């Protein structure tokens, strides 16, 4: 029972931090110092990534009308704007796939550690504050997903490459990049959510293939419980974020990242 409570807590952490621009990896590294699952290192490495599938399903459920590209026969079956959106998402997903697929193991080996996470938390926290101060009073040039250009989508995808470094935050890098490219906060967040679908499905499939599909009953229960928890919490986190940014900017997340980065650094230097 205690092990499953640990899994639920990890699912809660994943569900909250995956969508807020505060780094799910950074939080997981910190939480894992206090919560040790009774699993192999190989399973834990896979679990950290595949648990994100629950979070992704939350996006699919919440945004299904926007994401489903087919409509009723009387309306012609095809929703053109939705197909265009999906192609833009795929264009944006390509840069991270080109870099991430061949170098996945190397990047994990080099950068999955607390100094990297602490530094990237702080750096991107500062960047959020700087960018929001720079944009104060400016009107975004892209205020709807339909107005988001192909080149903008590609450059957002290039920004997503930064998230291959743990602690950066996938949502953080893409939202920050989109804002710098002239997107409104709302468009930046929504496009980041949609971009996560192919990227995280691909990353999860890669980890599953590397791990193999031979799970014990306990491992299967741990994975499914973690995904289910992440799904429920993600729905709440996404709704919170989209409501929050209607009236607020991202600076509060920047301050949070800086504080967390300093805490991570201090914990491992003095207590770890």
């Amino acid at each position: 029972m205690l092990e499953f409570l640990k899994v639920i807590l990890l699912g809660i952490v994943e569900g909250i931090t995956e969508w807020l621009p505060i780094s799910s990896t950074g939080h997981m590294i910190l939480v894992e110092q206090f919560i040790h699952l009774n699993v192999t290192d190989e399973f834990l490495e896979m679990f950290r990534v595949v648990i994100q599938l629950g979070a992704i399903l939350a996006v699919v459920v919440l945004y299904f009308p926007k994401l489903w590209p087919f409509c009723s026969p009387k309306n012609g079956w095809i929703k053109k704007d939705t197909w265009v959106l999906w192609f833009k998402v795929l264009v944006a997903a390509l840069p991270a796939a080109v870099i991430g697929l061949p170098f996945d193991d190397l990047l994990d080996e080099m950068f999955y550690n607390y100094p990297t996470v602490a530094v990237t938390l702080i750096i991107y926290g500062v960047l959020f504050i700087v960018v929001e101060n720079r944009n104060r009073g400016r009107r975004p040039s892209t205020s709807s997903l339909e107005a988001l250009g192909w080149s903008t989508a590609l450059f957002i995808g290039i920004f997503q490459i930064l998230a291959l470094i743990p602690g950066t935050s996938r949502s953080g890098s893409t939202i920050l990049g989109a804002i710098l490219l002239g997107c409104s906060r709302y468009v930046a967040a929504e496009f980041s959510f949609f971009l996560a679908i192919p990227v995280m499905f691909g990353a999860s499939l890669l980890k599953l293939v590397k791990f193999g599909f031979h799970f014990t009953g306990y491992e299967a229960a741990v994975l499914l419980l973690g995904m289910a928890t992440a799904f429920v919490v993600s729905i709440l986190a996404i709704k919170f974020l989209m409501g929050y940014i209607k009236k607020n900017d991202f600076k509060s997340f920047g301050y949070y990242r800086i504080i967390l980065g300093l805490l991570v650094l201090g914990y491992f230097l003095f207590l770890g």
Side-chain angles (χ1 to χ4, degrees):
M1 179 60 72
L2 180 59
E3 289 298 305
F4 290 128
L5 289 176
K6 293 177 183 178
V7 174
I8 290 172
L9 182 55
L10 290 172
I12 291 172
V13 172
E14 166 62 28
I16 293 173
T17 59
E18 188 60 53
W19 306 113
L20 307 186
I22 54 178
S23 176
S24 60
T25 303
H27 285 77
M28 293 294 265
I29 283 181
L30 190 59
V31 170
E32 285 172 8
Q33 298 304 306
F34 306 97
I35 297 177
H36 303 283
L37 288 180
N38 186 25
V39 295
T40 64
D41 290 341
E42 293 76 16
F43 176 84
L44 185 60
E45 181 183 349
M46 180 274 297
F47 174 82
R48 290 188 193 111
V49 177
V50 179
I51 190 178
Q52 298 171 350
L53 286 178
I56 281 298
L57 289 175
V59 174
V60 174
V61 169
L62 285 174
Y63 289 96
F64 189 79
K66 278 190 176 184
L67 295 172
W68 183 245
F70 302 105
C71 51
S72 63
K74 66 179 182 180
N75 293 323
W77 285 105
I78 302 297
K79 291 194 288 187
K80 181 181 176 182
D81 288 343
T82 304
W83 279 107
V84 171
L85 172 62
W86 271 114
F87 283 123
K88 289 177 182 176
V89 166
L90 292 176
V91 165
L94 284 176
V98 169
I99 301 297
L101 286 174
F103 299 108
D104 179 63
D105 289 336
L106 178 63
L107 290 169
D108 274 354
E109 182 181 340
M110 291 177 62
F111 297 116
Y112 197 89
N113 54 68
Y114 82 85
T116 299
V117 169
V119 169
T120 51
L121 279 169
I122 294 169
I123 289 174
Y124 287 96
V126 172
L127 285 175
F128 264 112
I129 296 168
V130 170
V131 169
E132 286 289 12
N133 285 336
R134 168 185 172 272
N135 282 1
R136 186 183 299 155
R138 296 189 181 187
R139 294 179 63 86
S141 57
T142 303
S143 299
S144 69
L145 285 172
E146 291 75 20
L148 190 144
W150 291 92
S151 60
T152 301
L154 177 60
F155 279 110
I156 292 173
I158 292 172
F159 272 98
Q160 185 173 233
I161 294 175
L162 298 171
L164 294 173
I165 307 300
T168 300
S169 168
R170 193 208 58 80
S171 62
S173 62
T174 51
I175 288 173
L176 192 64
I179 291 174
L180 283 170
L181 292 166
C183 296
S184 69
R185 297 183 190 97
Y186 208 87
V187 170
E190 278 200 338
F191 192 73
S192 175
F193 296 161
F194 301 157
L195 181 53
I197 297 174
V199 169
M200 291 164 66
F201 265 118
S204 297
L205 180 61
L206 180 63
K207 289 295 184 183
L208 281 170
V209 169
K210 288 182 177 180
F211 179 78
F213 293 88
H214 308 292
F215 297 97
T216 65
Y218 170 71
E219 288 174 338
V222 164
L223 189 58
L224 291 173
L225 179 59
M227 289 170 56
T229 305
F231 169 77
V232 173
V233 176
S234 289
I235 288 179
L236 300 175
I238 291 169
K239 287 184 175 181
F240 162 77
L241 180 63
M242 300 311 286
Y244 178 84
I245 61 176
K246 286 181 180 179
K247 298 180 180 179
N248 302 277
D249 58 27
F250 283 102
K251 284 198 292 186
S252 58
F253 296 108
Y255 291 121
Y256 176 85
R257 288 180 64 103
I258 293 170
I259 293 170
L260 180 63
L262 292 173
L263 287 174
V264 171
L265 205 56
Y267 173 81
F268 283 100
L269 283 176
F270 300 110
L271 299 175

